[in-house]
């Protein structure tokens, strides 16, 4: 009979526990929204602990991973409420133990509580914020390998963390939890082991290794971020409770004719602060304030009816159909949802109708580079750079169609490098790439690049919304670190790239910008880092014409030659081109002019490119100086036109500027073909032509210091031709640049010096012959310069052709 009675007791106990599990499952699902996976794992673990009766020191140990306000602590409250075996809940906020290594007071507090409350839930909130010594103490307390005086067998332990909450939003991780929970558990433990926290002084590991081993032996519970529909349900429950309470305590009846739509629209008005705690607090207050204003304005009200007009319902349907578009408008465009109300009173009954919902620009929006952004810029918005855009579209296709990579057994690319001169659109192209990919991005630039924790933070944010893009702007920037000018350390970027857990569903893509491919750190070139490099060259004619047309949206002379202006701005970057319009407009406004003229725009271009015009009073004998300069520049220009026809001249000027008394400027287009010996020799002749033309006109008075720069460059080019390019017929095919290191240069230095003098003599002789042959053209150009100060490239061509 005793055996039978024991069996009956066990059967009854099992039936009771089965009933408890059913009620617990139902209660959790009714109160926790969008957390079906978490409910399933928790209930299964509790049931397993009862059925298997293992040797674990605690009844169950959970690690709750999820973002703030995702329901982690609320779940603990529900477990206490729904499980009659649980009598108490105690929460330890681990941030309080972040700066202490003395674990004894903490352990004493935990043990004392368990002694007095043996059937309880212990919650250690934000465990990653605790000092590592405190974490080690928890391991000692709960591990099965250590003995305690206190019985923990009826204790449920919950450690919560917000770390890796971003990882849980990735679709591939969510799929893994459903298809292979054990592998998902292992994956998360591996990621937790890599997690770091930012302190004021450094970056440290977030978890003690022994505590991690304990977590690995027990259960990880993922909490997903709440969706819009779940948040609306939370708001509905809060509003229902407020309404019932108000009706009981007042003589006013309240009726919602379409409760679901009303609460949905009210919830939308709280964006962007859409989290459970905020909605619970604000929805009741929002509605109470509305009711209060009605009662204050109208006496003897007996009933308030709330209803929805068709337009408002249509607005809500559009939002719920495309939550992504809604979040873009809220987070990126700083729009907010407003409701249009209509209130009518009849027979002491108030009818409140929500007529419509609409977006409204936030007046006091604050933009932050620390948050994820969504780009509104597309490739169509960027003028020129068609070749670059085509390459970017090819990279984009790999992200959108990963089967292309899988076919060749390739991993998803970790990123790309955009390099090219400053102001040519690299940053705009990066943001346009993000827009075309429909992927949010975060930017790290300037001084933020010098702090490892800023880079780590950017990648953490990217994980939170993956797929995402991290844009690291101008990593070749210099800054002052410890009082010394230095470049940023590449190590934090390398560490983040190496730790990336890429997936085809939720990639983290890095875009790095810098000025030259020569500046690309070699560490980034290693396999499995960043192997895609795209040059963003100087602006082409299409892009330059676009900028000119933008400038000409301001009042301007209709006769302005846009193509001429586009030629003059070759080589200028986007920021410089924007300055042209602003500074030309400011000049016109200061002078009281009604419109921009071509002369004003050209002058502003020259100021930006070559410096401000010098006043005549700063130059002695201005007329003689200008005349000499005119012949000097005419010599350069005419010989350049004849001897170097491939290189197009932009303008010739004798207007003295801060950079030079006069100059010949060329279209700043890139020429990538090799230079022949003839072309190099002719270029030397062009450099010498300034002084020789001036001396042809003024004899010995023409030998002045103004040719210093020409002589420096020509001598350097002769040296390069002989000693580096192997173009000298006597010394032959040599390059002495390597011999400098080996200490062998002195053997050839005397020979090189001799050949330099030979080349100078030949170049001088040829230049004198050309100046004499082309003197009519040189004289004509010089005279025109004296009259007009500046000659356009097309005008120069006409003068030379007429006087050859």
């Amino acid at each position: 009979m005793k055996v039978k009675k024991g069996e009956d007791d066990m059967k009854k106990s099992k039936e009771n526990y089965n009933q408890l599990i059913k009620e617990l499952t139902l209660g959790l699902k009714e109160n926790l929204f969008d957390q079906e996976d978490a409910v399933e794992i928790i209930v299964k673990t509790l049931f397993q602990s009862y059925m298997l009766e293992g040797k674990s020191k605690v009844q169950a140990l959970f690690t709750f991973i999820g973002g703030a306000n995702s329901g982690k602590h609320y779940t603990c409250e529900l477990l206490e409420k729904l499980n009659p075996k649980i009598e108490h809940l105690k929460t330890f906020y681990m941030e309080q133990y972040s700066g202490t290594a003395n674990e004894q007071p903490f352990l004493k507090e935990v043990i004392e509580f368990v002694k007095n409350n043996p059937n309880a839930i212990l919650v250690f909130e934000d465990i990653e914020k605790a000092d590592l010594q405190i974490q080690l103490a928890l391991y000692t307390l709960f591990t099965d390998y250590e003995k305690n005086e206190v019985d923990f067998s009826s204790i449920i332990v919950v450690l919560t963390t917000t770390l890796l909450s971003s990882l849980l939003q990735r679709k591939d991780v969510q799929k893994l939890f459903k298809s292979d929970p054990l592998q998902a558990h292992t994956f998360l433990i591996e990621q937790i082991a890599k997690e770091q926290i930012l302190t004021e002084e450094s970056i440290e590991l977030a978890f003690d290794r022994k505590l991690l081993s304990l977590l690995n032996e027990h259960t990880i519970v993922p909490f997903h971020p709440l969706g819009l529909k779940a948040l609306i349900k939370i708001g509905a429950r809060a509003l229902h409770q407020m309404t019932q309470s108000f009706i009981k305590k007042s003589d006013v009846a309240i009726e919602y004719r379409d409760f679901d739509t009303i609460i949905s629209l009210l919830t939308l008005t709280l964006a962007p602060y859409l989290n459970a705690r905020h909605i619970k607090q604000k929805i009741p207050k929002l509605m109470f304030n509305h009711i209060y204003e009605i009662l204050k304005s109208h006496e003897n009200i007996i009933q308030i009816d709330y209803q929805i007009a068709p337009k408002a319902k249509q607005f809500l349907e559009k939002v719920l159909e495309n939550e992504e578009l809604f979040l873009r408008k809220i987070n990126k465009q700083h729009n907010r949802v407003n409701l249009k109300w209509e209130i009518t009173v009849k027979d002491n009954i108030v009818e409140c109708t929500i007529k419509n919902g609409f977006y409204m620009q936030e007046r006091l929006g604050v933009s932050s580079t620390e948050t994820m952004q969504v780009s509104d810029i597309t490739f169509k918005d960027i003028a020129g750079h068609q070749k670059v855009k085509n390459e970017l579209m090819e990279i984009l296709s790999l992200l959108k169609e990963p089967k292309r990579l899988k076919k060749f057994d390739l991993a998803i690319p970790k990123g790309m490098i955009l390099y090219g001169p400053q102001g040519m659109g690299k940053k705009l192209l990066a943001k346009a790439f993000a827009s075309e990919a429909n992927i949010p991005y975060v930017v790290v630039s300037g001084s933020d690049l010098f702090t490892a924790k800023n880079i780590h933070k950017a990648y953490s944010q990217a994980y939170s919304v993956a797929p995402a893009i991290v844009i690291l702007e101008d990593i070749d920037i210099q800054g002052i670190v410890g009082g010394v000018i230095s470049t940023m350390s590449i190590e934090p970027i390398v560490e983040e790239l190496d730790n990336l857990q890429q997936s085809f569903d939720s990639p983290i893509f890095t875009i790095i910008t810098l000025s030259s491919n020569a500046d690309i750190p070699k560490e980034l070139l290693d396999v499995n880092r960043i192997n895609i490099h795209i040059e963003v060259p100087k602006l082409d004619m299409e892009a330059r014409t676009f900028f000119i047309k933008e400038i000409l949206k301001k009042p301007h002379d209709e006769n302005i030659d846009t193509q001429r202006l586009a030629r003059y701005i070759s080589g200028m970057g986007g920021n410089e081109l924007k300055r042209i319009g602003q500074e030309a407009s400011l000049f016109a406004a200061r002078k009281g002019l009604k419109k921009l003229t071509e002369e004003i725009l050209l002058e502003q271009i020259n100021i930006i490119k070559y410096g401000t015009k010098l006043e005549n009073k700063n130059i002695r004998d201005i007329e003689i100086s200008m005349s000499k300069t005119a012949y000097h520049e005419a010599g350069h220009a005419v010989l350049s036109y004849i001897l170097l026809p491939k290189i197009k001249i932009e303008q010739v000027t004798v207007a003295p500027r801060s950079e030079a008394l006069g100059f010949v400027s060329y279209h700043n287009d890139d020429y990538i073909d090799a230079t022949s010996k003839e072309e190099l020799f002719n270029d030397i002749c062009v450099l010498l032509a300034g002084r020789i033309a001036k001396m042809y006109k003024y004899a010995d008075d023409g030998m002045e210091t103004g040719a210093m720069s020409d002589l420096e460059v020509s001598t350097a080019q002769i040296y390069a031709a002989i000693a580096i390019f192997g173009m000298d017929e006597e010394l032959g095919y040599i390059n002495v640049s390597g011999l400098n290191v080996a200490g062998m240069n002195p053997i050839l230095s005397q020979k090189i010096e001799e050949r330099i003098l030979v080349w100078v003599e030949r170049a001088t002789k040829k230049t004198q012959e050309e100046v004499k042959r082309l003197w009519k053209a040189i004289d004509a150009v010089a005279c025109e310069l004296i009259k007009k100060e500046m000659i356009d490239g097309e005008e120069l061509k006409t003068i030379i052709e007429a006087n050859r």
Side-chain angles (χ1 to χ4, degrees), residues 499-515:
N499 289 336
L500 278 182
Q501 297 295 323
Q502 290 288 65
S503 75
F504 288 103
D505 290 331
S506 304
I508 305 295
F509 195 78
T510 301
I511 301 178
I512 291 174
T513 70
L514 41 65
S515 297

Side-chain angles (χ1 to χ4, degrees), residues 439-454:
I439 294 177
Y441 68 92
V442 62
V443 177
V444 185
S445 62
S447 59
D448 289 342
L449 289 166
F450 289 83
T451 308
K453 69 178 183 180
N454 292 328

Side-chain angles (χ1 to χ4, degrees), residues 334 365-373 441-443 457 461:
H334 301 293
V366 179
S367 178
S368 172
T369 55
E370 294 185 353
T371 57
M372 299 303 299
Q373 302 176 54
Y441 68 92
V442 62
V443 177
K457 183 177 181 180
Q461 290 171 336

Side-chain angles (χ1 to χ4, degrees), residues 612-620 622 656-657:
T612 308
K613 252 187 186 180
L614 296 179
E615 295 292 334
N616 291 343
K617 63 183 180 182
N618 295 330
I619 303 172
R620 294 175 297 174
I622 183 63
R657 295 185 178 274

Side-chain angles (χ1 to χ4, degrees), residues 161-225:
T161 178
T162 56
L163 294 180
L164 295 189
S165 58
S166 55
L167 201 62
L168 296 178
Q169 298 183 37
R170 285 173 44 171
K171 294 178 183 178
D172 59 325
V173 176
Q174 294 172 10
K175 288 179 182 177
L176 188 62
F177 258 102
K178 292 183 182 298
S179 62
D180 194 340
L182 184 59
Q183 187 180 347
H185 175 99
T186 303
F187 172 73
L188 285 183
I189 287 293
E190 289 174 351
Q191 297 310 305
I192 290 174
K194 297 176 184 177
E195 277 298 303
Q196 300 170 322
I197 57 171
L198 310 174
T199 67
E200 292 182 1
E201 298 180 355
S202 62
I203 298 178
E204 299 176 354
L205 287 174
F207 286 91
D208 173 74
R209 294 302 182 190
K210 287 191 174 181
L211 180 63
L212 273 179
S213 67
L214 180 66
L215 304 188
N216 189 36
E217 293 170 5
H218 292 273
T219 306
I220 290 179
V221 183
F223 281 77
H224 305 301

Side-chain angles (χ1 to χ4, degrees), residues 21-36:
I21 290 296
K22 288 180 181 178
E23 291 175 359
L24 186 61
T25 303
L26 183 62
L28 288 174
K29 286 186 175 180
E30 283 181 351
N31 290 278
L32 277 176
F33 302 121
D34 280 2
Q35 304 298 352
E36 290 80 5

